[in-house]
Amino acid sequence: MRILLSGGTGLIGRALCRRWLQEGHELLVWSRRPEQVPRLCGAAVRGVASLEELGDIELHAVINLAGAPIAERRWTRRRKALLWDSRIHLTERLVEWLAGLSRRPPVLISGSAVGWYGDGGERLLHETDAPQSSDFASQLCIVWEESAQRAQELGMRVVLVRTGLVLARNGGFLARLLPPFRLGLGGRIGSGRQWMPWIHLHDQVALVDFLLRHPSASGPYNACSPHPVRNAEFTRCLAQTLHRPAPLPLPAAVLRVGFGEMSGLLLGGQHVLPERLQTEGFEFCFAELSVALADLLVGNNAER
Ligand SMILES: NC(=O)c1ccc[n+]([C@@H]2O[C@H](COP(=O)([O-])OP(=O)(O)OC[C@H]3O[C@@H](n4cnc5c(N)ncnc54)[C@H](OP(=O)(O)O)[C@@H]3O)[C@@H](O)[C@H]2O)c1
């Protein structure tokens, strides 16, 4: 297959490229830094700075993952505009370009997050549920999904991947938690009762591939392990895996002062299940957190 990715240089995109290159697919990555694409994604992957460079290309799939990191800094007005522009305007540009192709690709798989639901508290959430609260991250995901969904009007199958926290050996959420936890200075966040849907990078890549290969898959899919945990359990499990204590809770008030509105991402959560993936036959390799963390943190599997 000839596959175009946006965000192909990111954590998930690089892992997808690794898998699909091994399987012999032809990969193109739309990037702000196309010259870095072969180094980051694989020597055979072509980086393109603009879609127009591709002419009237025939593609078999498009994967849309680009977006400025949501939890990297405080959500000032400027930061929010960048988070919005790098997902919604970029997706609008992508769909507009797809509309102009004479042979449109059959499928668009587009990123989203469990944050689509807002802070769900204790409620168990399935793909059929509506957003539970209206915060910035939820609005961002809702409009991001709507922008991608427009490709359906072009006759394309559109899949929306509502991803939980992706656990990987190098990068993402875990890489940020590890330094304090390795020093024995970790602890729960706020009350620790908030739900934290998570997914091992291996399963994230496998499920995107599964959704690509299943022509009947369309619409939103929760991409998280079938065993979500609360923050306190995540904290306990990470500390146990590292054989360190985790005695220092991060008080909610400190987070609110430090991160402002963005603190809601860490203090709220979603009790989400991957119902559609499981019903449609996807099998998780890493359903249990302790097994996922052991795979990533014990031993030396650089592929993760
Ligand atoms: N990782 C997670 O835990 C997680 C959880 C839920 C949802 N998601 C979503 O899934 C998508 C992929 O996740 P990821 O962890 O692989 O992301 P990532 O590592 O942060 O990479 C995202 C890619 O987006 C592009 N990008 C960054 N800033 C941009 C900007 N200002 N304008 C345009 N493009 C920009 C970059 O590509 P270039 O530099 O090549 O342009 C980057 O490689 C993201 O949109 C993320 O929000 C991730």
Side-chain angles (χ1 to χ4, degrees), residues 15-188:
L16 278 168
C17 287
R18 252 194 321 267
R19 174 176 178 141
W20 285 337
L21 271 184
Q22 274 170 13
E23 292 175 357
H25 297 296
E26 181 184 341
L27 305 177
L28 302 119
V29 168
W30 178 28
S31 170
R32 295 164 306 160
R33 304 164 296 162
E35 67 290 347
Q36 300 205 42
V37 166
R39 182 177 61 77
L40 294 171
C41 305
V45 183
R46 175 179 163 200
V48 291
S50 90
L51 294 171
E52 286 63 35
E53 275 177 48
L54 296 173
D56 193 23
I57 192 171
E58 182 173 15
L59 296 166
H60 304 108
V62 178
I63 314 295
N64 179 38
L65 298 172
I70 191 143
E72 204 177 72
R73 30 190 109 143
R74 275 178 88 97
W75 293 344
T76 59
R77 217 146 34 124
R78 216 165 130 200
R79 185 72 191 163
K80 282 184 175 178
L82 180 71
L83 293 170
W84 198 269
D85 189 53
S86 61
R87 288 182 175 75
I88 286 133
H89 294 163
L90 187 141
T91 303
E92 286 170 352
R93 273 208 302 282
L94 176 64
V95 174
E96 206 177 284
W97 175 76
L98 289 168
L101 293 179
S102 63
R103 294 155 299 179
R104 289 175 192 145
V107 55
L108 168 65
I109 299 186
S110 197
S112 182
V114 289
W116 185 90
Y117 297 99
D119 179 8
E122 289 302 306
R123 186 165 169 184
L124 191 59
L125 297 167
H126 308 280
E127 286 91 349
T128 44
D129 285 304
Q132 305 295 299
S133 66
S134 173
D135 51 53
F136 172 72
S138 166
Q139 285 164 23
L140 181 68
C141 289
I142 290 170
V143 182
W144 193 14
E145 287 193 9
E146 285 170 357
S147 316
Q149 195 66 50
R150 296 212 178 92
Q152 215 178 353
E153 292 156 26
L154 306 175
M156 295 176 65
R157 171 167 73 92
V158 179
V159 178
L160 304 159
V161 188
R162 292 184 185 155
T163 304
L165 285 167
V166 178
L167 304 184
R169 179 183 286 274
N170 298 308
F173 176 72
L174 200 52
R176 285 209 226 147
L177 276 189
L178 281 176
F181 273 78
R182 283 208 158 110
L183 292 171
L185 300 173
R188 62 163 203 270

Side-chain angles (χ1 to χ4, degrees), residues 2-23:
R2 186 180 298 130
I3 305 170
L4 171 71
L5 298 97
S6 83
T9 57
L11 180 73
I12 301 169
R14 286 194 312 271
L16 278 168
C17 287
R18 252 194 321 267
R19 174 176 178 141
W20 285 337
L21 271 184
Q22 274 170 13
E23 292 175 357

Side-chain angles (χ1 to χ4, degrees), residues 11-12 112 114 161-169 171-174 196-208 211 221-229 234 272 274 277 282-289 292-293 296 304:
L11 180 73
I12 301 169
S112 182
V114 289
V161 188
R162 292 184 185 155
T163 304
L165 285 167
V166 178
L167 304 184
R169 179 183 286 274
F173 176 72
L174 200 52
M196 276 180 61
W198 61 273
I199 183 158
H200 190 302
L201 180 61
H202 172 88
D203 281 334
Q204 177 71 11
V205 166
L207 72 85
V208 172
L211 294 167
Y221 285 80
N222 292 337
C224 54
S225 132
H227 299 292
V229 295
F234 188 96
V272 181
L277 277 168
F282 178 75
E283 288 183 19
F284 287 84
C285 263
F286 297 97
E288 297 293 339
L289 182 62
L293 289 176
L296 293 167
R304 312 289 198 213

